Amino acid sequence: MVGRARATRAEVPGWCWGAGAGWRRGVTVSERSESAERAAAPKVTGESEVADLCRDLIRIDTSNYGDGSGPGERKAAEYVAEQLAEFGLEPQIIESAKGRASTVVRIEGEDRSRPGLLIHGHTDVVPANAADWSYDPFSGEIADGCVWGRGAVDMKDMDAMTLAVVRDRLRTGRKPPRDLVLAFLADEEAGGTYGARYLVDKHPGLFEGVTEAIGEVGGFSFTVNDRTRLYLVETAEKGMHWMRLTVEGRAGHGSMENDDNAITELCEAVARLGRHQFPLRITKTVRAFLDELSDALGVELDPENMDETLRVLGGIAKMIGTTLRNTAQPTMLGAGYKVNVIPGQATAHVDGRFLPGYEEEFLAELDSVLGPRVKRESLHSDKAIETSFDGALVEAMQTALRAEDPIARAVPYCLSGGTDAKSFQDLGIRCFGFAPLQLPPELDFAGMFHGVDERVPVDGLKFGVRVLDRFIDAC
């Protein structure tokens, strides 16, 4: 009888012969190597992946030119959906027009009888000219401890922090105390018509039961001294009137005198408006911010002498200074089609912003400055909003910030621009700007919004992940 030859370990990978037990499962050299690699690999957390998420988002060119194109919003919406679906969620991608896509998902909380919380961010960005930048604005380069690129602070940083926190909570099986609705939105940089406004008007059921929200341009730090670091939480924002100004004149030959030149009339009106200073108006939110700042500095701040106040604010002075009065900034001019032809029409575009409670005063003063020859046409307008700085959600912000920064102090402020909060307020949602970042005192954070060399510190992103995670637990 010829016995069967015993197989070698090489012939039966992963199995070995054990005396008295026959074949048993063993571990190959390659498997031991893979196991060691897994053991040695760093644990994936929200903090460890937030910078990469931010870089990925920046590399998707979502430039919004205001012409309805939104070239990369669909791709960004799909990327966000993939990151959420990886852990079992079923996000919805909703298009308001071809390519203009937003992603929305609801995460069930422990207590579903409680009102829900909305965390929203936009994926579109303003355009950038690569020639002006130190690093390509869509490269997501990491240099000098920062992630560089268009959207790094407005607002793919918050999008990445939200994704990182939620993914980590899903990865570790931690439910939020109440329902969370996440919305990653198109078109904010052109007024939100194809994003938040569309969802609020056409799909309000997505936000059923939601009473509070957090979004962009708030929660960033301003270091007063070694004992106090203020974190500015947006509780108000100015309203907007984007407008076109038109003057009709008499067309004619460029070589002839013309006392009804549309360009001359328009330029004089635009120059008056551009140099005009609207009166000082201290709103409830601005007054609260000044009171907090007075207390932090230990000095009395005089609202009637804001030059000194703004001096101590350093880089954020430009953000606060424009919340002291209404503004109207000329941004575009257009006229003519040939050098020797006086055109019969000239146009200009103006970005107008008004404080909560001062819209009628703003428009009346605007018309007075422009004069009767100028026709004013509204291109896009939206309301100013304001809420009080109190309640359990504000306490949760304070608690989360202080847990990560013992000298933190959350304070309210008014944003000079506008956000998607304007749309969500129409659903009765109380909105705050809270995208927490601890920033180096020397970083000109305010100057990077729509500016050149936009960047966010990696440590700031990690700080934001920790704070948002604590905030969700506390709210």
Side-chain angles (χ1 to χ4, degrees):
M1 179 177 177
V2 179
R4 191 180 65 170
R6 182 175 295 171
T8 67
R9 187 174 301 177
E11 292 170 328
V12 188
W15 294 83
C16 61
W17 181 265
W23 288 101
R24 62 181 174 82
R25 185 73 170 96
V27 180
T28 67
V29 172
S30 63
E31 287 174 322
R32 282 197 298 271
S33 176
E34 290 172 6
S35 177
E37 286 178 6
R38 286 195 298 270
K43 179 183 176 183
V44 177
T45 66
E47 284 187 68
S48 70
E49 70 174 359
V50 65
D52 285 337
L53 290 168
C54 188
R55 298 177 77 192
D56 287 348
L57 287 165
I58 288 171
R59 288 166 178 161
I60 303 171
D61 183 354
T62 52
S63 297
N64 188 340
Y65 295 91
D67 59 1
S69 61
E73 289 170 337
R74 175 77 198 196
K75 186 176 180 181
E78 291 173 350
Y79 172 83
V80 167
E82 289 170 3
Q83 301 308 309
L84 297 170
E86 184 179 340
F87 292 94
L89 297 180
E90 297 181 359
Q92 293 179 253
I93 297 177
I94 300 171
E95 280 197 342
S96 54
K98 183 174 176 56
R100 310 309 302 274
S102 299
T103 301
V104 183
V105 69
R106 183 180 288 261
I107 303 172
E108 291 187 4
E110 294 283 359
D111 184 355
R112 304 211 67 199
S113 67
R114 293 182 60 195
L117 172 72
L118 169 65
I119 302 178
H120 63 93
H122 62 87
T123 59
D124 65 318
V125 297
V126 296
N129 182 7
D132 298 332
W133 288 58
S134 299
Y135 300 95
D136 187 289
F138 299 104
S139 66
E141 187 75 32
I142 291 184
D144 301 324
C146 294
V147 179
W148 296 62
R150 177 58 86 215
V153 301
D154 187 15
M155 64 168 297
K156 291 179 176 179
D157 57 341
M158 178 58 170
D159 294 336
M161 290 190 293
T162 301
L163 284 174
V165 169
V166 168
R167 283 167 55 86
D168 193 63
R169 296 182 72 92
L170 293 169
R171 186 185 292 117
T172 55
R174 293 180 295 137
K175 266 192 170 185
R178 54 171 165 161
D179 279 13
L180 295 181
V181 175
L182 310 182
F184 299 85
L185 305 158
D187 198 40
E188 191 274 346
E189 294 293 1
T193 301
Y194 293 98
R197 175 51 54 193
Y198 178 83
L199 294 181
V200 166
D201 290 345
K202 304 297 184 182
H203 300 277
L206 292 170
F207 310 101
E208 183 179 356
V210 172
T211 58
E212 297 169 308
I214 61 169
E216 63 175 324
V217 203
F220 56 91
S221 69
F222 168 62
T223 302
V224 177
N225 50 46
D226 58 3
R227 301 180 306 280
T228 305
R229 194 163 15 247
L230 302 183
Y231 287 83
L232 280 64
V233 176
E234 187 221 301
T235 59
E237 58 187 50
K238 294 172 91 171
M240 66 174 69
H241 277 286
W242 292 344
M243 64 197 84
R244 177 165 49 233
L245 309 180
T246 304
V247 171
E248 304 286 347
R250 187 174 67 250
H253 199 289
S255 68
M256 298 181 183
E257 292 186 355
N258 188 323
D259 60 2
D260 191 20
N261 188 314
I263 293 178
T264 302
E265 186 69 34
L266 178 73
C267 287
E268 288 175 349
V270 168
R272 287 194 303 272
L273 183 62
R275 295 190 183 100
H276 181 71
Q277 187 173 69
F278 289 80
L280 188 73
R281 296 287 185 258
I282 305 299
T283 63
K284 176 181 68 176
T285 296
V286 172
R287 177 72 272 176
F289 171 78
L290 293 176
D291 288 344
E292 292 279 2
L293 185 61
S294 294
D295 186 63
L297 293 172
V299 298
E300 189 68 29
L301 297 177
D302 181 7
E304 301 300 325
N305 181 19
M306 291 305 300
D307 289 342
E308 180 61 23
T309 300
L310 295 176
R311 186 187 63 79
V312 303
L313 291 178
I316 65 169
K318 62 188 75 174
M319 295 185 76
I320 303 302
T322 51
T323 65
L324 303 175
R325 53 185 94 240
N326 299 324
T327 60
Q329 293 293 342
T331 55
M332 297 169 64
L333 284 171
Y337 53 88
K338 197 169 186 292
V339 69
N340 63 342
V341 177
I342 298 172
Q345 184 185 85
T347 62
H349 288 71
V350 172
D351 184 344
R353 309 284 175 149
F354 59 90
L355 292 164
Y358 290 95
E359 182 175 10
E360 291 185 9
E361 177 184 283
F362 168 71
L363 293 175
E365 189 167 355
L366 183 72
D367 288 337
S368 175
V369 173
L370 292 173
R373 287 288 307 277
V374 180
K375 175 187 174 183
R376 175 171 57 81
E377 175 189 0
S378 177
L379 300 177
H380 181 83
S381 62
D382 214 334
K383 59 188 174 296
I385 60 175
E386 188 169 31
T387 189
S388 56
F389 190 62
D390 54 22
L393 202 71
V394 171
E395 291 177 6
M397 295 176 195
Q398 292 273 24
T399 299
L401 285 167
R402 285 177 179 161
E404 294 298 331
D405 182 5
I407 63 171
R409 180 173 179 174
V411 299
Y413 91 105
C414 176
L415 177 66
S416 61
T419 74
D420 286 326
K422 295 181 188 298
S423 295
F424 292 122
Q425 194 195 53
D426 289 350
L427 296 177
I429 298 174
R430 189 181 180 205
C431 298
F432 297 85
F434 186 65
L437 288 173
Q438 187 179 113
L439 302 168
E442 67 277 6
L443 186 68
D444 182 12
F445 183 66
M448 286 188 291
F449 282 84
H450 298 190
V452 172
D453 283 348
E454 189 179 344
R455 60 196 183 278
V456 63
V458 173
D459 287 345
L461 291 172
K462 293 179 179 180
F463 173 86
V465 166
R466 298 194 300 271
V467 171
L468 281 177
D469 194 38
R470 290 182 182 275
F471 167 74
I472 289 171
D473 280 338
C475 73

